[in-house]
Amino acid sequence: MSAHASHAPNRSGLWDWLTTVDHKKIAILYLIAGGIFFLAGGFEALLIRLQLMYPESSMVGAKTFNELITMHGTTMIFLAAMPIIFALMNAVVPLQIGARDVAFPFVNSLGFWLFFFGGVLLNTSWFLGGAPDAGWTSYTTLALNQFSGHGVDFYVLGLQIAGIGTLIGGINFLVTIINMRAPGMTFMRMPMFTWSAFVTSGLILFAFPAITVGLVLLMFDRLFGGNFFNPDAGGNVVIWEHLFWIFGHPEVYILILPAFGVISEVVSTFARKRLFGYSSMVFATALIGFLGFMVWAHHMFTTGLGAIANTLFGLATMLIAVPTGIKIFNWLLTMWGGQIRFTTANLWAVGFIPTFTIGGMTGVMLAIPPADYQYHDSYFVVAHFHYVIVGGLVFGLFSGLYYWWPKMFGKMLNETLGKWNFWTFFIGFHLTFFPQHFLGLMGMPRRVFTYLKDQNLDMGNMISTIGAFGMTIGTILFVVNVFVAASSSKRAPADPWDGRTLEWSIPSPPPEYNFAQTPLVRGLDAFWIEKVAGNKGMTPAEPLGDIHMPSPSFLPFLMSLGLFIAGYGFMYHNYVVVVIGMLVTFACMFTRSVKDDPGYHIHEDEIEDKGVKA
């Protein structure tokens, strides 16, 4: 202890946010950055729908339309959904397992800044010659220099930098959940959201290397004259598809499993019942994660893999419906007979169940190879994956944000505004995407920037665009709600929802050390057990004492900035810039390696002065 500083470093304002390694502040950084990218991706979606509102519209040209669909998909998947998931994981997981932080706070900060600079690099393409235009999947040969513009270089470099951040973030959560659970919290006592974060982190660990390899190979093709994917020079375009979807399909479960975890927490809390079939929910989550790696080729039925491969991947895909069905029935049975409160968080959860079920059912339809040949590349597929990603993931994220907002910020979101937010978005969503099933069945291909009139496509596209305005209004209402909550002087109580898990046993927002004393966990729904037993809080597992905290650091920001600079050097073949950027990164790595960082201590009397109890 003597080598450690005894007081917290003096930090405030912007410097505090640039150097923080506190998981709760990093959660807020992820939420702000992901929220901004979500608004950008949503604006791109609105422009797409406005272009398709009328037949033969010329509001945006074909090239711009290609850029919009590419950036909309890429931004929403990599830069909006993933960081908001990481925001919730950072905000909630350490609290749910009774930990004071994640296992590697420095790495946690580095993961955020890598994601952020990768996302910024990708979006600067709009101002530097044009955005990527080869679709969010960037299929080769379309993504090679012969057929795509400079924007794909931004896609390749930006996603590599952001992907490293996501990968190390996933590893960090795996280590945190395995090693830092409070005494008594066995794996089968972990809350479902933490379980979903655990399985998600495992999927990230195995899925992201595949896309990283693909992006590196594509970078060599585009920037250094390689021929991995150029068939004219002996390359193979199908290899890209395999690498992309070995990552891409688990990515769907990386996105949806945390939403499953949110729904499990919210439904249980607002039904005032223990989650029905907890053990089966845990095994269903793990099984979905495992099967998620077995089905990537169902995206490639039409590439000519052959009848046997198509059959095997089709059957494996249908199998996922079994554990998913277990979850849906368990959520319904949790609500059955419960004292249900329809708060905004629970409205999103209840709306999630039928909406995601529709997306799952159309997924089973697409898993049938002969049928998939008919649906392939049509608006039916667009409708399917938006029912899964928006109707599943985004509904789950809104539910989680309304549920944990008081814990993250110490303020309550307004319930009236929240319900307007839900209903406008919910109705707008179904107006937007339900007609697209029929547009696809009537033959409208995806990724087209216009269509001829009198093809029976006019009405469906008009309704779809009107629905997009509903979703826009819903999103604006959420932003308004955030500002209303921020301007309110009313503080949120520690346990506003009569919660069941550990995060509700400490103040809102939590102190920087989370728990003054590590709690003793006596069963599933640890805090609920103590409340039922008549205890006012958790039983501590240790005496009150000094708490060791990690030091803040500016190195993660600089390290990521170096890669950001080097990325431009690679794209413009300016190797002086590459060297400068890499020197910044390596200098930070060297400094981190040789400079001892002992952290600091918060003394016992300071904890008692704050009146915080575990």
Side-chain angles (χ1 to χ4, degrees):
M1 174 185 161
S2 59
H4 296 188
S6 58
H7 296 288
N10 188 19
R11 298 163 291 161
S12 61
L14 180 62
W15 183 246
D16 182 29
W17 289 98
L18 293 178
T19 60
T20 185
V21 295
D22 183 342
H23 71 96
K24 299 177 289 295
K25 289 182 177 174
I26 291 172
I28 293 171
L29 289 173
Y30 268 118
L31 184 60
I32 293 171
I36 291 171
F37 285 126
F38 181 84
L39 293 177
F43 180 67
E44 288 154 2
L46 191 60
L47 291 178
I48 292 168
R49 283 313 321 164
L50 285 171
Q51 165 64 19
L52 294 172
M53 190 172 186
Y54 300 105
E56 301 180 56
S57 171
S58 57
M59 194 189 84
V60 298
K63 181 179 186 308
T64 304
F65 189 86
N66 284 344
E67 292 172 337
L68 285 172
I69 61 167
T70 302
M71 287 299 288
H72 166 68
T74 308
T75 300
M76 285 303 199
I77 296 291
F78 292 98
L79 307 181
M82 286 297 304
I84 297 177
I85 288 169
F86 266 87
L88 290 180
M89 285 166 59
N90 266 288
V92 176
V93 168
L95 304 184
Q96 284 196 331
I97 63 173
R100 294 206 167 100
D101 207 321
V102 293
F104 307 116
F106 180 92
V107 173
N108 200 23
S109 173
L110 179 62
F112 167 74
W113 289 113
L114 284 169
F115 140 73
F116 177 75
F117 279 110
V120 171
L121 186 145
L122 175 59
N123 275 276
T124 56
S125 60
W126 284 111
F127 314 103
L128 295 171
D133 55 357
W136 85 280
T137 55
S138 275
Y139 278 167
T140 53
T141 56
L142 194 59
L144 298 181
N145 287 324
Q146 302 92 307
F147 305 103
S148 284
H150 189 45
V152 178
D153 295 334
F154 288 86
Y155 174 97
V156 169
L157 269 300
L159 291 191
Q160 281 186 74
I161 296 171
I164 296 169
T166 305
L167 181 59
I168 62 177
I171 294 170
N172 205 356
F173 275 103
L174 279 177
V175 179
T176 300
I177 295 170
I178 291 172
N179 289 318
M180 298 186 69
R181 285 169 287 125
M185 179 161 283
T186 62
F187 272 99
M188 292 309 286
R189 288 177 176 176
M190 289 197 317
M192 273 313 299
F193 181 74
T194 297
W195 257 113
S196 69
F198 183 65
V199 176
T200 295
S201 300
L203 293 179
I204 289 172
L205 176 63
F206 292 106
F208 268 72
I211 188 68
T212 304
V213 168
L215 289 169
V216 169
L217 297 181
L218 185 57
M219 179 181 72
F220 273 90
D221 274 16
R222 290 190 57 88
L223 300 180
F224 305 115
N227 291 303
F228 293 102
F229 304 119
N230 183 0
D232 294 337
N236 189 329
V237 295
V238 179
I239 289 175
W240 169 264
E241 291 193 36
H242 279 295
L243 287 171
F244 186 89
W245 288 116
I246 287 172
F247 148 79
H249 199 80
E251 170 69 9
V252 174
Y253 298 103
I254 289 169
L255 298 177
I256 201 66
L257 285 179
F260 287 175
V262 171
I263 302 304
S264 299
E265 302 286 345
V266 170
V267 165
S268 172
T269 297
F270 293 110
R272 292 177 64 84
K273 279 178 65 183
R274 177 176 166 166
L275 183 67
F276 186 90
Y278 169 82
S279 300
S280 64
M281 292 292 261
V282 169
F283 288 109
T285 302
L287 188 57
I288 290 171
F290 174 76
L291 288 174
F293 273 101
M294 304 292 131
V295 300
W296 79 88
H298 72 211
H299 295 272
M300 301 166 58
F301 283 151
T302 59
T303 56
L305 297 175
I308 294 175
N310 282 356
T311 302
L312 290 175
F313 280 103
L315 288 173
T317 304
M318 292 178 206
L319 276 178
I320 294 185
V322 176
T324 307
I326 289 171
K327 284 185 166 293
I328 289 168
F329 283 114
N330 281 352
W331 290 323
L332 294 175
L333 290 169
T334 301
M335 288 189 284
W336 184 273
Q339 301 169 32
I340 301 175
R341 289 173 289 163
F342 284 102
T343 61
T344 305
N346 202 27
L347 279 178
W348 284 107
V350 172
F352 164 98
I353 295 173
T355 308
F356 180 78
T357 303
I358 294 172
M361 289 166 59
T362 53
V364 175
M365 294 168 69
L366 285 158
I368 305 167
D372 183 79
Y373 271 71
Q374 305 303 314
Y375 305 133
H376 187 78
D377 258 348
S378 75
Y379 257 80
F380 188 89
V381 179
V382 178
H384 158 70
F385 69 68
H386 279 92
Y387 263 80
V388 172
I389 300 298
V390 182
L393 168 67
V394 176
F395 280 29
L397 291 180
F398 272 124
S399 180
L401 288 173
Y402 275 97
Y403 184 57
W404 281 305
W405 197 271
K407 189 56 60 183
M408 291 178 72
F409 295 96
K411 302 284 185 71
M412 301 289 290
L413 288 171
N414 183 285
E415 280 289 299
T416 304
L417 273 173
K419 286 171 182 171
W420 276 100
N421 167 204
F422 168 75
W423 285 112
T424 49
F425 195 95
F426 182 81
I427 295 169
F429 167 80
H430 285 285
L431 279 177
T432 304
F433 295 108
F434 197 72
Q436 291 183 8
H437 292 103
F438 301 99
L439 289 172
L441 293 174
M442 287 190 289
M444 181 170 174
R446 60 192 290 201
R447 303 192 183 102
V448 291
F449 84 105
T450 190
Y451 51 93
L452 297 173
K453 59 184 176 182
D454 300 328
Q455 302 290 310
N456 293 324
L457 304 176
D458 306 20
M459 181 62 74
N461 276 294
M462 171 65 78
I463 294 171
S464 193
T465 302
I466 292 170
F469 280 106
M471 296 172 72
T472 304
I473 293 168
T475 305
I476 292 170
L477 286 171
F478 178 76
V479 175
V480 171
N481 205 349
V482 168
F483 282 104
V484 169
S487 62
S488 169
S489 58
K490 188 176 179 182
R491 308 295 299 178
D495 184 18
W497 312 120
D498 197 13
R500 310 174 72 85
T501 42
L502 283 181
E503 72 270 30
W504 305 111
S505 69
I506 55 177
S508 302
E512 59 181 314
Y513 43 81
N514 295 348
F515 297 89
Q517 293 163 281
T518 301
L520 178 66
V521 175
R522 299 196 298 166
L524 181 64
D525 291 343
F527 187 40
W528 187 259
I529 288 175
E530 301 298 334
K531 286 196 282 191
V532 170
N535 299 326
K536 292 183 178 178
M538 296 300 299
T539 304
E542 60 178 4
L544 192 64
D546 293 352
I547 296 175
H548 177 245
M549 301 295 296
S551 298
S553 175
F554 194 44
L555 291 180
F557 180 93
L558 284 179
M559 208 179 289
S560 308
L561 180 65
L563 288 178
F564 175 75
I565 293 169
Y568 285 106
F570 279 118
M571 282 189 291
Y572 291 98
H573 297 280
N574 187 330
Y575 295 106
V576 175
V577 175
V578 172
V579 170
I580 292 171
M582 295 308 294
L583 276 178
V584 171
T585 299
F586 285 127
C588 292
M589 293 170 68
F590 180 77
T591 304
R592 177 67 182 174
S593 300
V594 299
K595 184 176 180 299
D596 186 30
D597 179 15
Y600 64 94
H601 277 90
I602 298 174
H603 288 306
E604 176 184 337
D605 52 354
E606 293 178 75
I607 300 167
E608 288 178 328
D609 287 345
K610 293 178 182 178
V612 177
K613 296 178 181 176

